[in-house]
């Protein structure tokens, strides 16, 4: 799973295929491409074991929101983290 801190951006990985295309050369992978400022909301995947360290590194108000939401990083569990304008700034998923 992810060792990404709460403030790091997502990284991308690609591998060549026999056709010379990468996994990001078309649908459905193309729907996951984006750049900061394009309205892209980062998705952070966490396991239950990764949740406590992630919360410890998160800003206090973010950690409080995640705890109050009941997010436990269980499979299928999702938490949208709002920004100051109320729109989502990050999504956590178990």
């Amino acid at each position: 799973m992810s060792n990404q801190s709460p403030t790091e951006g997502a990284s991308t990985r690609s591998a060549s295929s026999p056709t010379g295309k990468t996994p990001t050369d078309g649908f459905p992978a193309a729907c996951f491409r984006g750049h900061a400022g394009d309205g892209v909301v980062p998705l952070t995947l966490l396991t239950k074991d990764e949740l406590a360290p992630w919360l410890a590194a998160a800003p206090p108000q973010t950690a409080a929101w995640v705890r109050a939401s009941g997010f436990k990083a269980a499979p299928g569990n999702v938490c949208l983290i709002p920004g100051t304008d109320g729109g989502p700034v990050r999504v956590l998923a178990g």
Side-chain angles (χ1 to χ4, degrees), residues 54-82:
W54 191 93
L55 289 170
Q61 62 273 42
T62 298
W65 177 270
V66 173
R67 287 185 184 102
S69 77
F71 180 75
K72 303 293 184 199
N77 203 201
V78 176
C79 178
L80 276 69
I81 300 173

Side-chain angles (χ1 to χ4, degrees), residues 24-57:
T24 58
D25 286 343
F27 190 82
C31 68
F32 294 106
R33 282 189 277 182
H35 304 285
D38 288 347
V40 174
V41 178
L43 171 64
T44 301
L45 304 176
L46 296 169
T47 64
K48 290 179 182 182
D49 291 339
E50 294 169 328
L51 181 58
W54 191 93
L55 289 170

